[in-house]
Amino acid sequence: MEALAAFLVRHRPLLEAHVVNFFKERMWELVDAEWMECLRREPVESLLKLPSGCVQEHWPATLREFVLTARSLVIPREQKAPQSLVPDVHVASIGTVLAQGMNSKKKHEIENLAAVVHAIAKSCGAKTVVDVGSGQGYLAQALSFEYKLPVVAIDASSHHASVTIARAERIKKHYAAKCVEKQLLTVPRTVTCHVLSSDTLAAVTLDACKDDHLEHVRETKACTSKSPQILESTQSSPSLILAGLHACGDLSVNMLRVFVACEQVKALVSVGCCYNLLSEDSYEDTNTCPGFPMSKAAKLSKLVLGKSIRDLACQSVERWRSLTLDIVLQNFDVHAFRAAFQMVLEKYFPEVSRLSPSIGRQGKALRRQRLRKVVESQMAMEKIDNLSCSNLKEQNMNTDDVDSVVHGVDTGPDDIHHDECRKFALFKDFTLSGLGRLGCGSVEDMSLLEIWKGVQPFSEYIGPFWCLRAALGPLVETYILLDRLLFLQEQNSLVEALLFPLFDPTMSPRNMAIIAWKLSVNSSEA
């Protein structure tokens, strides 16, 4: 953790960089000029492998050292067989009824996580599973119907609770029809609760489980208050295992604290998500219980991340590596258009730029979808002929201006002219969509062209810059995960905790599970 903290601090300007300011703040100058000159000439395929730790012999020695050092500090994320964790685990394939509504990613996650939760619950004697952040109940229902475990599903959305109940009833009818012998089938109990703290989660968990926990009961509760008094042990509460599949932000952290504080919670299997939503200690208020840092080790380092850096922890180098060339170039273009769009806002709508720095993820997603449709429709046409490009020139700009966009010269090959015409048309479309969402007025085509001409020579740096930045994402995630692991390991000698890569990271980028269980006083083994 000390090595990680030192490396992250050394490269903090790169970590804190944000795409919207790339052109405005000339962010390519944050990186060694020799690195950028080298990487801008690299094939896209080489750039995509950079975040995974792949280097080329002809790269500058300092660049190779940066990439290899970053990779050496990251926890290995390749999926491991669940049997290497719990020898007698059996991963059951989810049938079409249970898998209804799941995509291949979710099915993969549920199959592996449910099997591990069941095996660990069995090994530590936990009688009931508490599914924290249960969503539509996929994990809860797999545990209930496939593994016959009593489950309490906790989620903040009452709609999710209704969907979970309705879905569970349909699945129950299917399983009941298959049963030859009369068998008691239970559906997950649902609890609706906004979990504001670990105390809230502990109170709701124990309250929902302490009475008639084996009976078929459906209930929906609303609670927002802290109830630390329910942390006390009660005879009617069963032994529990906490499970969470991509519980967002502090919810994953609160699970860890409940595991430590509650005697009834015998084990924990948690796969975190949404690090950008974590609360973070500013080191000024020592009475808070932030989502980061948790461990004594991380608190001693006093490394402050911030939302932008935590957001970077959600990057997936495995998915970067598997992207197609067309998709990669589209993504680089979207980054360039967004950064150039910020220049439009700064020049023509400065008050909007100040009041709405993030513009909004929803708008970004819509613009990305719109851009993709435009690109795909253009690719579907075998090739746009020179006449189309000439028409575009006549409609949007004068010919001399277009020629000057192309690498600062007046003439050039037709395919280069076409590419620049297409890029400007896409930037214009992107900008009009963004301005429309923000309720701004229009900007003349010539004004947009002037901005695009100013930034276009530097757009080739965007790909290399973001690949370098993406290489730091796994380090941030590793630091956050180690902070959680050490928090558990710092408690006492009767807690066993480890990190385990439970899913295929290409399918499920947040694939690291924190698994912990309590050892009995008279035993040193789980």
Side-chain angles (χ1 to χ4, degrees), residues 7 9 35 107 123 147 163 175 187 227 265 274-275 303 306 321 332 352 373 380 399 404 407 414-415 455 475 511:
F7 192 84
V9 167
W35 293 13
K107 185 173 183 289
S123 69
Y147 294 99
V163 170
Y175 274 78
V187 301
S227 305
V265 181
C274 301
Y275 305 119
L303 175 65
R321 203 167 53 221
F332 288 167
V352 174
K373 287 178 181 177
T399 305
S404 67
H407 304 295
D414 288 342
D415 58 340
V455 302
L475 278 77
N511 74 326

Side-chain angles (χ1 to χ4, degrees), residues 164-180:
T164 298
I165 293 169
R167 190 173 185 274
E169 289 294 348
R170 290 197 304 271
I171 296 171
K172 180 183 176 182
K173 290 177 183 177
H174 169 80
Y175 274 78
K178 286 176 60 179
C179 289
V180 178

Side-chain angles (χ1 to χ4, degrees), residues 308-324:
S308 180
I309 296 178
R310 294 196 309 272
D311 191 50
L312 184 60
C314 298
Q315 288 279 356
S316 169
V317 298
E318 290 81 13
R319 284 191 173 174
W320 271 66
R321 203 167 53 221
S322 63
L323 291 174
T324 65

Side-chain angles (χ1 to χ4, degrees), residues 302-464:
K302 293 196 173 183
L303 175 65
V304 177
L305 295 177
K307 182 181 180 297
S308 180
I309 296 178
R310 294 196 309 272
D311 191 50
L312 184 60
C314 298
Q315 288 279 356
S316 169
V317 298
E318 290 81 13
R319 284 191 173 174
W320 271 66
R321 203 167 53 221
S322 63
L323 291 174
T324 65
L325 181 62
D326 287 338
I327 294 297
V328 172
L329 294 177
Q330 272 186 46
N331 286 340
F332 288 167
D333 283 346
V334 170
H335 282 313
F337 298 156
R338 179 62 185 89
F341 176 66
Q342 192 70 13
M343 300 286 281
V344 175
L345 291 180
E346 292 285 339
K347 184 172 182 178
Y348 296 103
F349 307 99
E351 68 288 349
V352 174
S353 179
R354 284 193 300 271
L355 294 175
S356 185
S358 67
I359 304 305
R361 288 185 173 275
Q362 199 174 23
K364 174 183 173 183
L366 289 171
R367 288 192 300 277
R368 187 186 293 270
Q369 290 169 11
R370 184 173 177 182
L371 174 67
R372 185 168 291 131
K373 287 178 181 177
V374 172
V375 171
E376 287 172 353
S377 68
Q378 290 188 358
M379 289 174 65
M381 302 163 61
E382 293 183 356
K383 189 175 180 180
I384 298 177
D385 59 23
N386 291 334
L387 179 61
S388 298
C389 191
S390 298
N391 290 339
L392 184 63
K393 294 175 186 177
E394 292 172 6
Q395 292 169 11
N396 292 335
M397 56 200 94
N398 85 24
T399 305
D400 293 336
D401 286 327
V402 176
D403 290 338
S404 67
V405 171
V406 185
H407 304 295
V409 296
D410 292 331
T411 59
D414 288 342
D415 58 340
I416 296 180
H417 281 284
H418 161 65
D419 186 59
E420 292 306 329
C421 289
R422 184 180 67 87
K423 288 283 182 72
F424 178 74
L426 291 172
F427 166 61
K428 177 185 172 184
D429 186 73
F430 185 101
T431 299
L432 294 177
S433 173
L435 292 175
R437 276 194 66 82
L438 293 172
C440 298
S442 60
V443 176
E444 293 182 359
D445 290 351
M446 289 302 299
S447 300
L448 294 181
L449 175 63
E450 180 184 355
I451 288 176
W452 184 246
K453 284 166 59 179
V455 302
Q456 191 273 336
F458 307 108
S459 61
E460 64 182 350
Y461 293 134
I462 277 190

